[in-house]
Amino acid sequence: MDYTCTIATLNINGISVPTKIHMLEEFLYKHHIDLALLQGVTNSKITTIRRYTSYINMGTEGRGTAILAKDRYLRTNIKRIPTGRGISEHFNGIRIIKIYAPSGSEKKREREGFYRGDVARLLTHSSDNMVLAGEFNCVLTPSDCTGSLNVSRALTRLVTGLDLVDVWDVNQRRMIYTHYTAQGASRMDRI
């Protein structure tokens, strides 16, 4: 049976104020989001969002990831990375994976280890159908950025080895970036 599922991936930057939680809830309802893949989670208050069930992975550094899904969906086989940087679940025959890679040039070695080891733990019992989304904090090719290039060999091997396809339409006339600094722009967020 074919069906359409609407997915959003968001950095909620630790929201905990009831007004902002309500704004997130309204965003999910307005856009008919079936699955919300969240990063920057700092507390369990997102579990109060009505008509959604939350699985949260709080990390050792006080931030984490979460997957919210409408209550009507069957979800099984929840996996978590102890650092809180990733969570996955089996959702209606699809492995859903949310990651939040270490950021910054000083964490390049940690990020490479994250892609070689931690992400693999989330892939166990994976089916052929998979959605991998999150903030990757590096790029795959020079066309993904302006300014300095922060390529990850481990991420490139992961994407190639799993035969992953980015949902971004590469035939667009202009590149859309997700992260901007004074030195340049890059597309570090992917699905």
Side-chain angles (χ1 to χ4, degrees):
M1 178 172 120
D2 290 336
Y3 63 93
T4 300
C5 178
T6 306
I7 300 173
T9 179
L10 303 164
N11 186 337
I12 62 171
N13 201 21
I15 64 171
S16 60
V17 178
T19 305
K20 290 186 178 184
I21 298 283
H22 180 70
M23 290 169 64
L24 173 61
E25 185 175 41
E26 290 301 313
F27 172 84
L28 297 175
Y29 295 157
K30 178 180 179 183
H31 296 285
H32 308 286
I33 304 296
D34 296 304
L35 277 173
L37 312 177
L38 307 177
Q39 67 203 42
V41 176
T42 59
N43 60 60
S44 62
K45 291 185 180 183
I46 61 170
T47 60
T48 63
I49 295 178
R50 296 170 289 131
R51 299 186 297 246
Y52 284 83
T53 302
S54 307
Y55 288 105
I56 299 172
N57 184 15
M58 288 304 294
T60 54
E61 296 176 7
R63 285 193 174 265
T65 50
I67 301 176
L68 278 65
K70 286 186 176 173
D71 289 335
R72 69 177 180 256
Y73 291 112
L74 174 64
R75 303 155 68 191
T76 60
N77 199 13
I78 311 301
K79 300 220 177 276
R80 295 173 174 90
I81 296 174
T83 61
R85 292 193 170 276
I87 188 169
S88 72
E89 65 182 35
H90 208 242
F91 172 87
N92 289 359
I94 301 169
R95 172 57 66 188
I96 304 294
I97 304 165
K98 172 63 175 178
I99 63 169
Y100 186 23
S103 64
S105 57
E106 71 281 356
K107 292 192 177 182
K108 184 172 184 162
R109 180 173 288 181
E110 182 182 342
R111 187 169 42 254
E112 292 294 291
F114 173 77
Y115 288 125
R116 281 193 307 271
D118 291 343
V119 174
R121 288 186 199 110
L122 299 174
L123 298 172
T124 58
H125 301 100
S126 251
S127 65
D128 289 338
N129 300 313
M130 173 188 329
V131 173
L132 173 62
E135 190 167 322
F136 291 78
N137 284 317
C138 58
V139 297
L140 295 172
T141 67
S143 66
D144 288 335
C145 67
T146 65
S148 64
L149 187 61
N150 184 11
V151 174
S152 169
R153 290 183 183 160
L155 177 59
T156 301
R157 282 192 296 275
L158 179 73
V159 168
T160 303
L162 293 173
D163 197 24
L164 297 177
V165 177
D166 193 2
V167 297
W168 176 255
D169 183 1
V170 294
N171 296 319
Q172 299 263 346
R173 291 184 180 208
R174 63 183 182 93
M175 176 58 79
I176 302 293
Y177 299 106
T178 61
H179 181 74
Y180 296 88
T181 66
Q183 292 77 33
S186 59
R187 193 167 67 86
M188 293 188 198
D189 301 272
R190 298 176 174 271
I191 297 179

